[in-house]
């Protein structure tokens, strides 16, 4: 199917490097590679450049059929250029933010609703939109789809890469959800033709909350990205006898989500119990939180970690990740615990073919991804002894992995390529249009 | 590069602005009594302890912060007035290449100083938060 027009809304899109950008890029490219013209409504690049959250290499990953439309955006959360402030914003920031948030109940983003609706109208007027897709968070990204559906009957898909009124760590009610946000979510889901979620626990929680929409809900998993034709797969090189092992972690390191204390305790215990681990290093790569700088908790963790062979060696551009994975002998998948937590990193880790040691709650959705991997060593619990056990098994696998077993692991991980994951989702979207396009 | 950090609480660490050169100078403007900070210079402003206590109590909720903002004892407005009263702050601002509103209550002073300096010539860059400051510094 070709010549169709998708309107995708993603607050952050390339070259912004905030979380969720990779899924948005993947979605745009998946439709574009099937012949769709894709228009992306996104915030202006300056929003991200001012905060230093840009990765220019991401722009090179965008398919030729994808066009971006920058929709004016201002928010108390991202208003870093004081020269652009009004007197009201400078003098009464809380009041300014509250008034701007009135159109849509989402702190920091609600004020974007009207600009998004106007932009959607303009795009639809210029080139008729056949399908809309909003990927959130922020949830205001759902507005263009809802708006064009109401006004023009354009079929509409909501894509939750996170959750809004549900806490993904527990499945319970998000304590920050308000009555108004609950009402809005209900309204949006009621109007959507399909609702996508990144894993089964999150889908299940929403299906239980909105049973009338359950048959329109499906899981559209994340995946790893192939950049410039290169997957993160790490071909086997010969072991150098006696060379200490290097464990690696690559991903954003957020205080409160990255399990610093459990990892540190487990790693320390493993070093006490294993001479192999005693000489090993754990190298952490990635951004430190959204701002790229460690808060006092992360600083403290890194300082204590340095004494036991844990080193932080800075962020990595998307285009460089394959080279960085190639410097590791094994990976440590350290994630926040919670049944709804998958993390995009799990797919990339799986794709490398390197032994992966899971340091997250066994009930994590990441376990469902890694199950079946021939080189996976999950911890049985977040206790230090169990984490040490997993690390010791991971070290042994790293020492004994052969070219054949590495190739088998790479082959197993290839199923998680993002484009492959998204194909059935695009199929489903095309079927939606083929059967009359929406409800 | 001359950098002025408007941080009423005095919370500032050199780690917030990595990559500065030896010749760069950081001046932190804070309320008097703030904890010692790692800056080339600290300018302390005086405030009424009673006002500070009232504001601290009210600022525990969003509604309280919104109420405080419209009162004369608002921390942002008081910080601005105190910075005007301290002649040394005006001198440092006048020499600054970059002004950073490091905290919410430093925002109004940053905006007012930006407006004042723009009347007297080329204004310095004025940003809110260290992430934006680092982005500016990296582009120099």
């Amino acid at each position: 199917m070709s010549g169709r027009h998708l309107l995708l809304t993603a607050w952050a899109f390339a070259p912004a490097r905030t979380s969720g950008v990779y899924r948005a890029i993947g979605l745009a490219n998946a439709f574009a590679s099937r012949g769709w013209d894709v228009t992306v409504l996104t915030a202006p690049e300056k929003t991200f450049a001012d905060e230093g959250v840009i990765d220019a290499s991401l722009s090179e990953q965008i398919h030729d059929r994808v066009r971006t439309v920058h929709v004016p955006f201002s928010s108390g959360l991202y208003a870093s250029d004081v020269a652009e402030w009004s007197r009201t914003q400078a003098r009464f920031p809380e009041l300014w933010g509250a008034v701007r948030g009135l159109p849509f109940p989402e702190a920091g983003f609600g004020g974007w609703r009207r600009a998004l609706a106007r932009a959607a109208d303009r795009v639809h007027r210029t080139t008729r939109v056949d399908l809309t897709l909003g990927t959130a968070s922020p949830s205001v990204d759902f507005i263009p789809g809802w708006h064009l559906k109401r006004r023009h009957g354009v079929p509409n898909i909501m894509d939750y890469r996170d959750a809004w009124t549900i806490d993904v760590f527990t499945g319970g009610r998000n304590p920050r959800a308000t009555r108004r946000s609950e009402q809005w979510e209900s309204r949006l889901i009621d109007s959507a033709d399909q609702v996508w979620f990144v894993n089964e626990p999150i889908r299940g929680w929403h299906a239980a909350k909105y049973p009338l929409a359950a048959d329109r809900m499906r899981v559209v998993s994340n995946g790893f990205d192939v950049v410039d034709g290169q997957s993160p797969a790490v071909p086997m090189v010969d072991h150098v006898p006696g060379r200490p092992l290097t464990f690696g972690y690559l991903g954003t390191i957020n205080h409160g989500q990255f399990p610093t204390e459990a990892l540190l305790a487990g790693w320390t215990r493993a070093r006490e119990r294993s001479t192999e681990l005693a000489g090993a290093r754990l190298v952490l790569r990635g951004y430190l939180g959204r701002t790229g700088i460690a808060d006092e908790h992360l600083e403290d963790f890194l300082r204590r970690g340095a004494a036991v062979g844990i080193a932080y060696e800075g962020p990595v551009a998307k285009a460089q990740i394959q080279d960085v994975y190639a410097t590791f002998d094994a990976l440590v998948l350290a994630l926040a615990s919670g049944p709804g937590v998958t993390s995009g990193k799990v797919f990339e880790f799986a794709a490398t073919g390197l032994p992966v040691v899971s340091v997250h709650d066994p009930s994590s959705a990441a376990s469902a991804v890694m199950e079946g991997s021939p080189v996976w060593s999950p911890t049985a619990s977040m206790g230090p002894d169990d984490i040490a056990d997993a690390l010791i098994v991971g070290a042994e696998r790293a020492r004994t992995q052969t070219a054949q077993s590495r190739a088998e692991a790479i082959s197993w991980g290839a199923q998680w390529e993002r484009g492959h994951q998204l194909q059935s989702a695009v199929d489903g979207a095309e079927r939606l249009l083929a059967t009359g396009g929406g409800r | 590069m001359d950098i002025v950090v408007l941080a009423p609480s005095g919370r500032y660490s050199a780690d917030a602005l990595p990559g500065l050169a030896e010749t760069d100078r950081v001046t932190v403007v804070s309320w008097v009594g703030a904890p010692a900070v790692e800056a080339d210079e600290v300018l302390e402003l005086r405030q009424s302890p009673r006002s500070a206590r009232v504001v601290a109590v009210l600022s525990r909720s969003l509604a309280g912060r919104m109420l405080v903002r419209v009162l004369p004892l608002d921390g942002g407005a008081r910080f601005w007035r105190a910075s005007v009263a301290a002649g040394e702050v005006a001198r440092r601002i006048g020499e600054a290449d970059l002004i950073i509103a490091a905290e919410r209550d430093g925002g109004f002073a940053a905006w007012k100083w930006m407006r004042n300096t723009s009347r007297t010539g080329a204004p310095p860059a004025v940003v809110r938060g260290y992430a934006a400051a680092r982005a500016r510094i990296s582009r120099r």
Side-chain angles (χ1 to χ4, degrees):
Chain A
M1 189 179 294
S2 63
R4 291 206 149 147
H5 184 202
L6 172 74
L7 180 66
L8 171 67
T9 305
W11 171 72
F13 197 71
R17 61 154 182 82
T18 67
S19 60
V21 161
Y22 307 118
R23 183 170 175 91
I25 293 171
L27 289 166
N29 285 348
F31 278 90
S33 66
R34 295 273 284 261
W36 288 63
D37 293 315
V38 179
T39 301
V40 183
L41 300 183
T42 187
E45 192 174 321
K46 184 176 188 302
T47 304
F48 308 100
D50 281 352
E51 298 270 329
V53 285
I54 291 281
D55 180 347
S57 74
L58 291 177
S59 297
E60 293 156 20
Q61 317 303 326
I62 307 301
H63 196 285
D64 292 343
R65 299 184 80 102
V66 178
R67 176 179 76 103
T68 53
V69 173
H70 293 117
V71 181
F73 171 80
S74 63
S75 158
L77 296 178
Y78 291 87
S80 51
D81 187 350
V82 175
E84 294 179 350
W85 290 7
S86 65
R87 179 184 167 79
T88 309
Q89 184 179 359
R91 180 66 183 84
F92 309 108
E94 293 86 2
L95 187 64
W96 181 86
V99 170
R100 286 189 60 77
L102 287 176
F104 190 75
E106 188 172 32
F109 295 94
W112 208 29
R113 175 186 163 188
R114 288 179 184 140
L116 278 176
R118 282 195 296 270
D121 277 334
R122 272 196 304 275
V123 170
H124 186 64
R125 246 192 334 266
T126 308
T127 311
R128 194 176 73 88
V129 173
D130 297 296
L131 177 69
T132 62
L133 173 57
T135 182
S137 59
S139 299
V140 74
D141 287 353
F142 295 139
I143 284 294
W146 175 77
H147 178 75
L148 290 189
K149 170 94 184 191
R150 269 187 13 159
R151 279 216 167 167
H152 307 287
V154 178
N156 167 29
I157 298 173
M158 296 168 69
D159 175 52
Y160 279 89
R161 64 171 181 79
D162 205 335
W164 186 11
T165 63
I166 289 175
D167 183 337
V168 295
F169 295 101
T170 64
R173 184 174 187 271
N174 183 339
R176 285 177 299 180
T178 62
R179 192 172 164 189
R180 201 164 156 242
S181 62
E182 302 261 13
Q183 289 168 340
W184 260 104
E185 180 169 72
S186 175
R187 185 181 305 160
L188 293 168
I189 286 181
D190 186 51
S191 95
D193 295 289
Q194 289 184 8
V195 190
W196 296 354
F197 300 94
V198 292
N199 59 44
E200 179 53 33
I202 297 180
R203 191 208 64 81
W205 294 328
H206 284 82
K209 186 170 182 178
Y210 303 104
L212 295 178
D215 63 338
R216 286 177 273 133
M217 296 179 177
R218 60 170 296 174
V219 172
V220 177
S221 180
N222 277 317
F224 68 84
D225 297 297
V226 174
V227 179
D228 293 336
Q230 278 198 316
S231 88
V234 178
M236 190 74 189
V237 292
D238 289 339
H239 294 292
V240 179
R243 183 177 64 81
L245 292 176
T246 302
F247 286 74
Y249 168 87
L250 201 163
T252 303
I253 302 166
N254 283 316
H255 169 63
Q257 295 181 17
F258 190 84
T260 51
E261 295 310 312
L263 178 60
L264 188 58
W267 177 260
T268 305
R269 186 64 54 86
R271 286 167 66 91
E272 291 164 0
R273 287 174 40 194
S274 158
T275 51
E276 179 78 87
L277 267 296
R281 289 199 318 144
L282 170 55
V283 175
L284 309 178
R285 301 296 305 268
Y287 291 99
L288 296 171
R290 182 178 70 79
T291 60
I293 195 159
D295 63 17
E296 59 195 57
H297 302 283
L298 279 180
E299 266 183 19
D300 179 55
F301 161 70
L302 295 176
R303 193 168 43 246
R304 287 182 291 142
V308 289
I310 298 176
Y312 172 66
E313 296 188 355
V316 181
K318 186 78 171 170
Q320 304 301 318
I321 57 170
Q322 206 262 357
D323 294 339
V324 172
Y325 279 123
T327 65
F328 300 144
D329 300 300
L331 298 169
V332 174
L333 181 62
L335 298 178
S337 288
V341 178
T342 314
S343 158
K345 279 293 149 194
V346 63
F347 305 101
E348 217 170 81
F349 280 31
T352 63
L354 291 164
V356 176
V357 179
S358 266
V359 179
H360 52 73
D361 190 280
S363 69
S364 164
S367 298
V369 175
M370 289 304 298
E371 253 168 13
S373 163
V375 288
W376 183 43
S377 315
T379 182
S381 78
M382 291 301 276
D385 283 314
D386 285 337
I387 292 173
D389 285 346
L391 286 164
I392 291 167
V393 172
E396 192 181 324
R397 287 211 163 110
R399 277 287 179 218
T400 58
Q401 197 173 30
T402 63
Q404 186 185 343
S405 61
R406 174 73 59 85
E408 285 167 4
I410 290 171
S411 174
W412 174 85
Q415 66 180 305
W416 298 115
E417 192 268 317
R418 193 190 296 276
H420 178 71
Q421 291 293 312
L422 291 174
Q423 283 314 310
S424 68
V426 178
D427 287 342
E430 291 185 339
R431 273 197 303 275
L432 173 71
L433 298 191
T435 55
R439 303 160 58 238
Chain B
M1 189 177 220
D2 275 311
I3 300 168
V4 175
V5 179
L6 301 174
S9 75
R11 280 194 293 272
Y12 170 77
S13 156
D15 293 339
L17 299 175
L20 291 181
E22 282 288 313
T23 50
D24 294 328
R25 181 177 61 178
V26 177
T27 300
V28 174
V29 183
S30 70
W31 290 121
V32 71
V37 295
E38 311 164 31
D40 299 303
E41 188 176 14
V42 180
L43 302 178
E44 294 189 313
L45 308 178
R46 298 202 165 278
Q47 69 170 332
S48 148
R50 201 165 133 196
S51 299
R53 275 199 300 275
V54 172
V55 169
V57 169
L58 288 172
S59 296
R60 286 176 192 156
S61 68
L62 177 62
R65 287 197 295 278
M66 288 168 77
L67 173 65
V68 166
R69 286 286 178 226
V70 298
L71 300 176
L73 50 69
D74 164 45
R78 281 188 299 117
F79 192 71
W80 153 243
R81 290 196 297 268
S83 72
V84 173
E88 188 62 10
V89 175
R91 196 173 69 77
R92 284 281 180 251
I93 293 274
E95 295 167 351
D97 303 295
L98 175 64
I99 298 171
I100 304 168
E103 299 164 15
R104 192 182 283 265
D105 275 353
F108 185 55
W111 183 80
K112 289 289 283 183
W113 280 116
M114 178 204 69
R115 306 255 303 172
N116 284 8
T117 53
S118 63
R119 290 192 196 110
T120 58
V126 186
V127 299
R128 190 204 60 190
Y130 291 117
R134 289 193 294 276
R136 291 285 176 136
I137 291 167
S138 71
R139 291 203 293 262
R140 67 174 157 173

